[in-house]
């Protein structure tokens, strides 16, 4: 018998695993591939045949219908399933993912529930939004205490191609983030729909109205981003005394549009809390 130790089996390259391969997972996977990660370093568990075909066509990734031993190579597991199925999915994958850092994008589900289901304290939550698909997302991140600085960097690196990130240090605020920026793109689209409807009812074509509304949103948002002035100051600059904008803003104030929007966002926050209560531990 030789006293030379047998060569160690090659260490598999570290991989990132996604549990759930829908919209949010796709946005993150697109970013990882753009960073130069190979499709073979990305594992996806996705029960829907249609979604698996989509992942293969879009990214060249062969997703698995069920969690299997390939998950063991993942040092980072991203949870991109709906809150309603998180617990079941976590309990299924738990024996295969010990040792990994976990990142959840699920709305409402608290990190204490995730830690309990997965049997680890190494849990980060992110709340992204759909502009992540084009690298213009706005995400907030929250890490449990056991997550070290290097692991936080790892998460930042994963999120970087999707847009801006912001760490928050009080987990309950993630429900506010979910309500504001997580759901926020839908509010913008809702306004765009209404503005386009107004345009067509005044005689513009659908295409003209859509282009004018989208261009206005994009330009005004960029102006707000670049300007040192607060939105109310920027608004006042558009609003000539006795002019057209004044007539519109007066009408909106009379209808309570601003307050209604605040109430709507509070309803979203409340729903995020309920999701945590209903589908958490
Ligand atoms: N869509 C959005 O704007 C945002 C969504 N989120 C959160 O991201 C999470 C995913 O949302 P989306 O990607 O929009 O949903 P989605 O429906 O596009 O993707 C979820 C995927 O999970 C799969 N799935 C179901 N059961 C599974 C299981 N047991 N194991 C693995 N995969 C399973 C589904 O087939 C589906 O493809 C949700 O928790 C949501 O709260 C967070 C921020 C924004
Ligand atoms: O509507 C939802 O529940 C998810 C979370 C934020 C955006 N979409």
């Amino acid at each position: 018998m030789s006293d030379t130790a047998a060569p160690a089996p090659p260490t598999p390259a570290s991989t990132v695993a996604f549990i759930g391969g829908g919209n949010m997972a796709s946005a993150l996977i697109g970013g990882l591939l753009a960073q130069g990660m190979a499709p073979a370093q990305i594992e996806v568990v996705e029960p829907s045949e249609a979604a698996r075909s989509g992942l293969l066509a879009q990214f060249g990734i062969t997703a698995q219908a069920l969690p299997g031993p390939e998950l063991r190579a993942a040092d980072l597991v991203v949870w991109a399933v709906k809150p309603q199925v998180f617990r079941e999915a976590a309990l299924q994958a738990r024996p295969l993912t010990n040792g990994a850092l976990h990142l959840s994008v699920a709305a409402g589900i608290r990190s204490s529930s995730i830690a309990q289901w997965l049997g680890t304290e190494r849990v980060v939550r992110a709340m992204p939004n759909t502009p992540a698909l084009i690298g213009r997302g706005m995400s907030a991140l929250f890490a449990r205490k056991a997550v070290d600085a290097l692991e936080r960097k790892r998460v930042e690196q994963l999120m970087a191609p999707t847009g801006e990130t912001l760490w928050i240090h009080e987990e309950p605020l993630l429900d506010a983030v979910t309500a504001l920026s997580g759901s926020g793109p839908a509010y913008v689209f809702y306004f765009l729909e209404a503005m386009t409807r107004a345009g067509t009812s005044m005689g513009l074509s659908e295409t003209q109205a859509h282009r004018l509304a989208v261009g206005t949103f994009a330009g005004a948002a960029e102006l707000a981003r670049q300007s040192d002035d607060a939105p109310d100051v920027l608004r006042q600059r558009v609003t000539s005394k006795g002019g057209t904008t004044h007539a519109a803003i007066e009408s909106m104030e009379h209808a309570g549009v601003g307050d209604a929007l605040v109430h709507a966002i509070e309803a979203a926050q409340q729903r995020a809390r309920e999701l945590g209560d209903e589908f958490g531990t």
Side-chain angles (χ1 to χ4, degrees), residues 133-144:
L133 283 162
I134 55 157
R136 296 293 302 272
M138 183 69 242
S139 304
L141 302 170
F142 167 81
R144 282 182 82 75

Side-chain angles (χ1 to χ4, degrees), residues 1-264:
M1 194 176 157
S2 155
D3 58 0
T4 316
T11 320
S14 82
T15 64
V16 177
F18 286 82
I19 314 294
N23 289 311
M24 268 302 137
S26 296
L28 295 169
I29 289 170
L32 286 177
L33 296 177
Q35 277 177 357
M37 200 161 183
Q41 285 173 274
I42 300 174
E43 296 292 341
V44 183
V45 178
E46 172 51 68
S48 147
E49 164 72 56
R52 289 201 303 278
S53 303
L55 291 165
L56 186 61
Q58 196 180 355
F59 302 122
I61 289 175
T62 307
Q64 310 302 319
L66 289 167
E70 55 286 336
L71 284 187
R72 289 190 203 283
D75 61 354
L76 176 58
V77 178
V78 182
W79 294 87
V81 289
K82 295 286 186 198
Q84 288 83 345
V85 302
F86 199 153
R87 183 173 184 276
E88 185 200 332
L91 297 180
Q92 232 180 0
R94 173 178 173 152
L96 301 161
T97 59
N98 9 342
L101 172 66
H102 295 270
L103 172 66
S104 161
V105 299
I109 303 297
R110 295 174 193 114
S111 67
S112 53
S113 298
I114 302 168
Q116 191 175 327
W117 296 335
L118 294 171
T120 176
E121 282 294 312
R122 293 168 65 215
V123 177
V124 179
R125 286 181 62 193
M127 181 41 58
N129 62 16
T130 53
L133 283 162
I134 55 157
R136 296 293 302 272
M138 183 69 242
S139 304
L141 302 170
F142 167 81
R144 282 182 82 75
K145 278 200 190 75
V147 177
D148 68 25
L150 221 59
E151 291 171 330
R152 284 167 197 243
K153 277 268 165 288
R154 180 86 210 278
V155 170
E156 283 173 19
Q157 203 182 11
L158 176 100
M159 298 299 297
T162 68
E164 288 183 52
T165 53
L166 168 81
W167 283 101
I168 60 162
H169 304 290
E170 292 161 74
E171 185 168 5
L173 286 179
L174 265 190
D175 292 339
V177 169
T178 304
L180 190 65
S181 56
S183 298
Y187 317 149
V188 172
F189 302 138
Y190 186 80
F191 262 86
L192 280 175
E193 290 170 62
M195 285 169 74
T196 306
R197 229 170 31 239
T200 53
S201 81
M202 293 184 298
L204 294 162
S205 73
E206 178 90 25
T207 312
Q208 288 169 330
H210 174 80
R211 196 168 151 204
L212 289 163
V214 172
T216 300
F217 246 102
E222 196 51 43
L223 179 61
R225 184 200 287 275
Q226 288 186 24
S227 177
D228 292 331
D229 294 319
D232 67 314
V233 174
L234 297 173
R235 173 165 58 80
Q236 279 156 28
R237 262 184 221 137
V238 190
T239 314
S240 312
K241 206 168 172 213
T244 61
T245 319
H246 180 74
I249 299 286
E250 280 280 284
S251 171
M252 281 198 257
E253 281 290 287
H254 184 70
V257 174
D259 287 343
L261 195 56
V262 172
H263 289 144

